[in-house]
Amino acid sequence: MAVSSFDIDAPRWDQSTFMGRLKHFFNITDCRTALLSDSRLDEAKALVESCRAGSTPPGTTEEQLHYAKKLYDSAFHPDTGDRMNLIGRMSFQVPGGMAITGFMLQFYRTVPAVVFWQWVNQSFNALVNFTNRNAASPITPKQIGVAYITATSTALATAVGLNLYTKKAPPLVARWVPFVAVAAANCVNIPMMRQQEILNGIAVTDENGNKLGHSTKAAVKGISQVVISRITMAAPGMIILPIIMQRLEKYKFMQRITYLHGPIQVMMVGVFAVLPLFPPLCVCCSSMAVSKLEPELRDAIVSQYGDAVKMVYFNKGL
């Protein structure tokens, strides 16, 4: 393919196959991109925009264009094109998430430790959710504050309540409290942070990117998918790792290095984070049948396009 006719927005890999989604997963979560300077990211953005405009610089190779698109997708919001804050980028999720999750799993025994690490986690999640929202639906500072306080309160109430309730339960049950708290908070944090999308709908397009209207049903589906994906992706590390640590801590060598239990759990969470268990969940685009849209929007699409448009597409966020 000539570089001059290169479609830089076309998926590099076939998203309908497991391997295609797996490669996409590793591409967007590559933490090395989080180390690059703003100037390098801006260069990548300029190259992507020039390619879109049909004025790719002479001598540019397809590999350079693919890498520029990778950097662009890792650092710039798909709706606004603005550079995202470092902590909220998907490329920061492995190092940031593994550290916080590891310490939540390690420091679960006392109420002060539970409160602190759940607060840190919800602050991190709130920033990630805000950064990866559908920016076509603006949210006010007041709504952000309410969402943050509600989600944090939910996580703390769940974690502290279960922590006290499981004092007499088997030790392994207490180790699973952080996961339950994280799951409960995600069910509150994400919908609250993206409430404008639920109220006003999100933009839906045809397969060629032509805008067809706004749909609240698409918003509900997209946000529900994000909630499920966040919980599902956290589950392996936060459910299986406590079982592993419960058994390892019975060995004398582990009892002699208790000060390393935290770092060990952080590293093991990192291993679970990079395992290709759920690559389909890391795709920001979702679809919906026209027949399942709101009657008004469905009728408008059918009257204008007939049976030519059977599916609509939208950015569900990550």
Side-chain angles (χ1 to χ4, degrees), residues 141-154:
K142 180 179 179 180
Q143 290 170 326
I144 294 173
V146 171
Y148 172 67
I149 293 172
T150 304
T152 303
S153 300
T154 301

Side-chain angles (χ1 to χ4, degrees), residues 68-81:
K69 187 59 162 58
K70 171 180 178 175
L71 298 186
Y72 180 86
D73 289 343
S74 75
F76 296 92
H77 197 281
D79 292 333
T80 65

Side-chain angles (χ1 to χ4, degrees), residues 172 176 235-245 272 277:
L172 183 59
W176 283 329
M238 299 191 78
I239 292 177
I240 299 174
L241 185 53
I243 298 174
I244 296 174
M245 289 301 296
F272 279 103
L277 299 177

Side-chain angles (χ1 to χ4, degrees), residues 115-147:
V115 169
F116 176 75
W117 285 108
Q118 285 293 333
W119 169 74
V120 170
N121 184 56
Q122 288 312 311
S123 299
F124 178 72
N125 285 343
L127 185 54
V128 172
N129 294 337
F130 175 74
T131 302
N132 292 280
R133 73 197 184 285
N134 186 313
S137 302
I139 183 171
T140 66
K142 180 179 179 180
Q143 290 170 326
I144 294 173
V146 171

Side-chain angles (χ1 to χ4, degrees), residues 136-273:
S137 302
I139 183 171
T140 66
K142 180 179 179 180
Q143 290 170 326
I144 294 173
V146 171
Y148 172 67
I149 293 172
T150 304
T152 303
S153 300
T154 301
L156 293 180
T158 303
V160 173
L162 289 178
N163 184 269
L164 297 174
Y165 183 75
T166 59
K167 288 294 185 182
K168 296 182 180 180
L172 183 59
V173 175
R175 287 179 179 268
W176 283 329
V177 168
F179 172 68
V180 178
V182 167
N186 271 325
C187 292
V188 175
N189 195 336
I190 298 172
M192 288 289 291
M193 190 65 72
R194 299 175 60 179
Q195 58 188 282
Q196 287 299 105
E197 298 173 40
I198 298 174
L199 295 174
N200 302 321
I202 57 176
V204 295
T205 68
D206 61 18
E207 59 182 358
N208 297 315
N210 300 311
K211 187 175 177 180
L212 302 173
H214 285 76
S215 170
T216 56
K217 288 192 174 182
V220 171
K221 179 179 179 179
I223 292 171
S224 299
Q225 289 176 332
V226 172
V227 171
I228 294 171
S229 69
R230 294 283 185 86
I231 295 174
T232 304
M233 292 174 70
M238 299 191 78
I239 292 177
I240 299 174
L241 185 53
I243 298 174
I244 296 174
M245 289 301 296
Q246 180 82 0
R247 295 186 177 183
L248 285 179
E249 289 176 3
K250 295 178 180 179
Y251 293 99
K252 290 185 178 180
F253 79 93
M254 285 292 286
Q255 295 171 4
R256 290 196 296 267
I257 57 169
T258 54
Y259 58 92
L260 290 178
H261 287 191
I264 288 173
Q265 293 206 74
V266 169
M267 296 305 297
M268 292 178 73
V269 168
V271 172
F272 279 103

Side-chain angles (χ1 to χ4, degrees), residues 42-97:
D42 288 338
E43 290 175 6
K45 180 181 180 181
L47 182 56
V48 169
E49 291 178 341
S50 67
C51 183
R52 285 172 174 167
S55 57
T56 306
T60 304
T61 65
E62 282 193 24
E63 190 58 37
Q64 288 174 322
L65 290 174
H66 280 307
Y67 186 65
K69 187 59 162 58
K70 171 180 178 175
L71 298 186
Y72 180 86
D73 289 343
S74 75
F76 296 92
H77 197 281
D79 292 333
T80 65
D82 296 334
R83 189 188 307 115
M84 297 184 287
N85 68 79
L86 175 63
I87 297 176
R89 299 175 193 170
M90 295 309 295
S91 56
F92 190 77
Q93 295 314 291
V94 172

Side-chain angles (χ1 to χ4, degrees), residues 12-58:
R12 185 175 183 182
W13 300 283
D14 184 358
Q15 299 293 299
S16 65
T17 67
F18 176 83
M19 287 305 299
R21 293 190 295 265
L22 177 61
K23 290 177 181 178
H24 176 75
F25 169 77
F26 283 123
N27 197 53
I28 67 171
T29 58
D30 185 352
C31 58
R32 294 174 299 178
T33 62
L35 303 175
L36 298 177
S37 65
D38 288 346
S39 60
R40 179 67 185 90
L41 296 174
D42 288 338
E43 290 175 6
K45 180 181 180 181
L47 182 56
V48 169
E49 291 178 341
S50 67
C51 183
R52 285 172 174 167
S55 57
T56 306

